[in-house]
Amino acid sequence: MKMKKILCGMTDTMNSVKPPRMTALRELHEAETGGPFSILIGTILSARTKDESTTKVIKVLFSKYKNPQELANAKIKDVEKIIKSIGFYHVKSKRIIEVAKIIDRKYNGEVPDDLDTLIQLPGVGRKTANCVLVYAFEKPAIPVDIHVHRISNRLGLVNTKNPEETEQELMKKIQKKYWIDINDTFVMYGQNICKPVNPMCDICKIKKNCDYYKSKNAF
């Protein structure tokens, strides 16, 4: 099944039920609040946190600390108060201040736009780095989170054990022109339709090409 058909089928399915709200990173991209730096910090904060919580926290955080220099000079306790509603806020407060210091002092306030440099930042793995490339710089990359990993395997696009393997396989199989759209669409689909438990297969417009659906309904 071609990626264009998959992406269109997912979008059509979601719109037929209820147009989904944008992901936290898409909202940051559209708002352009703080530019690439807000995307970087937002992605770090979004780990194991619901999009709604991330969006609220980011808006408050960047209304007070408008650039890397200001966040770099922030007190940990003050940042903790702002992001307290999200998971692991103690660790994340220290982490984002640490990252802000590096961006401010080593990169003159500019977020790097290449994968190899981004993954050198504290707490930034391939998924976070790829999110920055896609949502901040609109560069082709495939950020693979639990939704992208799960759906890719259910569809039969890949047969992998972890997100890292999924990313590598998708990069091999999918044309580069579709990379930018994969995370955003798959994440919304995973949150709204192809859920971890009780996926809404009955309304899915691409189920006939889905290995998971075929196996579940095999006679």
Side-chain angles (χ1 to χ4, degrees):
M1 190 177 185
K2 293 183 178 180
M3 182 52 61
K4 182 178 180 180
K5 189 174 181 180
I6 290 172
L7 294 170
C8 288
M10 288 180 176
T11 301
D12 289 346
T13 301
M14 290 187 284
N15 287 334
S16 70
V17 181
K18 181 183 177 181
R21 60 165 291 166
M22 287 189 288
T23 61
L25 294 180
R26 177 55 59 186
E27 285 189 14
L28 281 173
H29 173 81
E30 297 295 331
E32 296 184 351
T33 305
F37 184 63
S38 69
I39 301 290
L40 172 60
I41 298 302
T43 308
I44 294 172
L45 293 178
S46 69
R48 302 183 188 181
T49 302
K50 291 183 177 180
D51 277 0
E52 302 82 46
S53 299
T54 303
T55 301
K56 290 177 183 177
V57 161
I58 282 292
K59 286 180 180 177
V60 177
L61 184 70
F62 277 90
S63 68
K64 184 167 183 178
Y65 307 108
K66 296 179 173 60
N67 53 55
Q69 185 178 42
E70 290 184 9
L71 184 56
N73 293 321
K75 295 180 180 178
I76 292 176
K77 288 185 178 180
D78 291 337
V79 173
E80 284 182 344
K81 289 178 183 177
I82 294 174
I83 72 166
K84 194 172 183 179
S85 62
I86 67 175
F88 307 97
Y89 71 95
H90 286 301
V91 175
K92 289 178 180 178
S93 296
K94 295 177 183 177
R95 179 62 47 75
I96 63 174
I97 290 175
E98 186 180 5
V99 168
K101 287 178 180 178
I102 295 172
I103 297 298
D104 178 48
R105 297 165 191 176
K106 187 174 181 179
Y107 299 109
N108 298 313
E110 299 293 329
V111 176
D113 63 354
D114 67 278
L115 181 71
D116 291 338
T117 306
L118 285 167
I119 59 176
Q120 298 303 315
L121 295 170
V124 175
R126 290 188 66 90
K127 190 204 83 172
T128 298
N130 282 328
C131 281
V132 173
L133 294 179
V134 168
Y135 293 99
F137 299 107
E138 296 187 354
K139 287 191 169 187
I142 306 179
V144 177
D145 67 351
I146 55 172
H147 298 295
V148 178
H149 176 62
R150 178 178 71 255
I151 295 172
S152 296
N153 276 276
R154 280 182 174 175
L155 285 173
L157 290 172
V158 299
N159 181 15
T160 53
K161 296 179 180 179
N162 55 60
E164 292 74 22
E165 289 182 11
T166 299
E167 180 197 348
Q168 296 304 316
E169 287 301 307
L170 289 176
M171 287 172 67
K172 292 176 187 176
K173 296 178 178 180
I174 306 302
Q175 287 179 279
K176 215 169 196 177
K177 63 182 180 179
Y178 297 117
W179 289 9
I180 285 180
D181 296 321
I182 289 175
N183 181 267
D184 197 50
T185 307
F186 276 47
V187 169
M188 286 192 294
Y189 208 66
Q191 291 173 339
N192 295 280
I193 308 295
C194 195
K195 301 175 182 180
V197 180
N198 299 322
M200 300 165 68
C201 297
D202 55 323
I203 63 169
C204 177
K205 295 183 182 296
I206 56 174
K207 61 188 175 186
K208 291 182 180 179
N209 299 100
C210 174
D211 285 0
Y212 174 83
Y213 178 78
K214 291 176 185 176
S215 65
K216 194 176 71 168
N217 292 276
F219 294 101

